[in-house]
Amino acid sequence: ARRFASEGPFNKQFDPPFTTVHVGVVKGGTALNIVPNLCEFSLEVRNIPEVNPETVIEEIRQYAFRNLEPRMKELDPKSGFHFKYTAGVHSFDIANDDPMVDFVLSLSGANATEKVSFATEAGIFHNKGIPTVVCGPGSIAQAHKPNEFIAKEQVVKCENFMDRLLDKLRVAA
């Protein structure tokens, strides 16, 4: 994580402009005075499009197997690492001059785009050749919290957007 932050690669269209890696959950042990028989780490790679997350995970795996596991096995030959892949979300980027971006801008009334550093299904669709733009009501600053909300004026803007989309689709049909 520190290497990505200091050495990149960087993509200034994202915030942060580099891939992030962190351990978000650590579980292990049953009591302070008992050596645990298992410790689990859940890690996440949020990559910019220039970085392959599988390569990052493989680097972490190789470090664990080459540098940490031999020292662990000196203390207990039964110890070691096991990695389990549970989920992945493709990174997503679309050129600002893509016709789909212009189409969505025309529907939203916005004059500019921005890149987001949170996960969506957009990368899945984009990688299958489906033109994709992420848009919607609300703000990520209010999401994923116990009191998350979407302001009423944002819902109204979304309804207006959907009405304009329906009008465009009716004309096209």
Side-chain angles (χ1 to χ4, degrees):
R2 286 189 298 271
R3 186 181 78 230
F4 283 125
S6 65
E7 299 173 18
F10 298 100
N11 185 327
K12 299 286 185 200
Q13 295 184 28
F14 289 88
D15 181 21
F18 51 86
T19 293
T20 61
V21 182
H22 86 280
V23 173
V25 178
V26 179
K27 293 189 276 186
T30 57
L32 187 58
N33 63 342
I34 299 173
V35 176
N37 69 342
L38 177 69
C39 184
E40 296 179 354
F41 297 84
S42 297
L43 66 93
E44 176 183 62
V45 176
R46 288 197 178 188
N47 61 298
I48 59 173
E50 293 81 0
V51 174
N52 181 337
E54 286 84 14
T55 303
V56 177
I57 297 295
E58 185 58 25
E59 181 180 350
I60 293 167
R61 285 172 40 85
Q62 291 305 315
Y63 180 84
F65 290 137
R66 288 185 185 143
N67 298 77
L68 303 176
E69 192 173 73
R71 294 189 307 202
M72 292 167 58
K73 288 190 176 293
E74 287 175 8
L75 298 174
D76 183 348
K78 295 179 285 186
S79 66
F81 284 93
H82 170 73
F83 284 80
K84 182 172 104 179
Y85 184 82
T86 56
V89 178
H90 296 277
S91 65
F92 170 68
D93 193 11
I94 188 169
N96 289 337
D97 61 355
D98 188 284
M100 187 56 67
V101 172
D102 291 336
F103 178 68
V104 172
L105 285 172
S106 74
L107 295 174
S108 70
N111 295 319
T113 63
E114 64 180 276
K115 307 287 179 162
V116 296
S117 295
F118 51 82
T120 72
E121 293 84 0
I124 297 167
F125 299 124
H126 185 75
N127 288 343
K128 296 292 184 187
I130 301 169
T132 307
V133 174
V134 177
C135 64
S139 167
I140 195 65
Q142 292 134 4
H144 307 301
K145 297 177 181 167
N147 62 344
E148 75 179 326
F149 67 95
I150 298 174
K152 187 174 181 178
E153 70 265 8
Q154 288 289 309
V155 175
V156 171
K157 285 181 178 183
C158 182
E159 289 172 339
N160 293 335
F161 176 93
M162 297 304 288
D163 288 341
R164 288 189 290 275
L165 175 59
L166 284 171
D167 290 344
K168 291 260 187 186
L169 293 175
R170 283 187 193 112
V171 170

